Every structure is written in C-alpha cells, then in structure tokens.
Amino acid sequence: MSSAATAQHRRSFWLKQLHQWHWISAALSLIGMLLFSITGITLNHAGQIEAEPVVVSRKATLPADLIADLARGPVEGKRPLPLKLQHWLDKAVGTDIAGREAEWSDAEVYVALARPGGDAWLSIDRETGAVEHEKTTRGAVSLLNDLHKGRNTGKAWAWFIDIFAAATIVFTITGLILLQFHARARPLTWPLVAAGLAAPVILVILFVHL
C-alpha cells in the first residue's frame, strides 16, 4: 500500500471515529444544551421576569406519644427526626423530610427544606407539639433557573450536570477536530472560530469590571 493510500486510510479511520463520538455526544447532550441555553437567557433577565411567590402554610399538633419522643431527643445539635415522626408529619402537613437533618434546641426542632424554585421550612415546639410548616413556590422559571445553577437539587441532579458537561466537552472537542479536517474546503472555518473566541474576550476587557 502506497504512503498516500495509507494516509487516506488513516484519515478515513479517524473521520469515522470522530463522527461516531460527535453524534453520540450530541445525542446525549442535545436536550441538556437546549435547557441550559434557555435558562441562561432567563437567568440573564431574572430581574425582568416577574414571579409571584405562592406561600402555603399548614399547622398541626403532635399527639402525646410523639411529643414524648421529642423529649427524648438531644437538647441541641443536628440529627434527623425519628422515623415515626417523619411519617406522621408527611401525612399531617404534607412534607417529606426523609434524610433531612433537623436543628435541635431545648425549645424547638427546626428543619430547613430548601428546594429548587422555592423554599420551605418546618418548626416543632418541643413543649406543646405545635407544628408549623411553610412552603414557598416561585414558579416554573425560578425552578428552571435553580436547576441551571444546581441550587438545592440533590446529588442525582449534580451527577446529571457532571455527565452532561462531560458529553458536551466531547461534543465540542470532536467538533473542533472535525473543523480541522474540513477546514481546507471551508475557508471561513478558522476566521469564524477566531471570532467566537475574540468576541467574549473583547467584551470582558471593555465592558466587564473585574
């Protein structure tokens, strides 16, 4: 096999591999890129997008046996609530606190229930058993913005962001190498890439106060 044929064979092999990785990474990251692009716009205009918070408050009183369970808890510190109490609260005020740490003091037990697109908290008076639960929802745009930032989204969403970011990196790098392969037939390739690099750099230098 001649050297020219060998080079052509090698080129065909790498083009095939790059196209394979490029379309697979594109398929994996397509919906994520669409989501993060849209929420990038909504985050950039967060002050102009009005959201009317919806606040729902619920109250209840613990039965005597659960008040006794609270009395056996720590005087202060952080510890999850007893499972029996967690199940009761889920039914009484509609809040899922499984796996959440509660802040214990001699007067009350407080559970912060931070969530994407809103907030929530739960407070229990240790003496009387009075329960107060408040949940705030700020709408779909706020939810999507918090998903974009990974705010209060938990480990599963954090893993999704990492995997999506890795797929996007593969998509971008394989795309850049494919541009190199096809640049000879497309004279505008590198001027456009250079413009894509220069634009944010110039904007940062001229208009962003560092």
Side-chain angles (χ1 to χ4, degrees), residues 35-36 100 113-118 142-162:
L35 170 66
F36 280 80
R100 301 272 191 167
L113 300 167
R115 49 194 294 276
S142 179
L143 171 61
L144 290 173
N145 286 347
D146 283 348
L147 290 176
H148 183 112
K149 295 182 288 186
R151 176 181 177 268
N152 303 319
T153 52
K155 292 183 178 179
W157 186 257
W159 273 105
F160 166 76
I161 291 178
D162 288 344

Side-chain angles (χ1 to χ4, degrees), residues 93-140:
V93 295
T95 181
D96 181 9
I97 58 174
R100 301 272 191 167
E101 281 198 334
E103 298 177 18
W104 296 71
S105 68
D106 57 351
E108 71 168 358
V109 180
Y110 179 86
V111 185
L113 300 167
R115 49 194 294 276
D119 200 2
W121 56 267
L122 176 85
S123 176
I124 307 173
D125 187 299
R126 297 185 69 170
E127 182 178 354
T128 65
V131 177
E132 290 187 50
H133 172 56
E134 184 176 284
K135 179 180 177 181
T136 303
T137 303
R138 298 188 178 90

Side-chain angles (χ1 to χ4, degrees), residues 40-52 141 145:
I41 295 172
T42 57
L43 276 169
N44 200 38
H45 298 275
Q48 299 164 290
I49 301 174
E50 295 184 1
E52 189 69 30
V141 173
N145 286 347

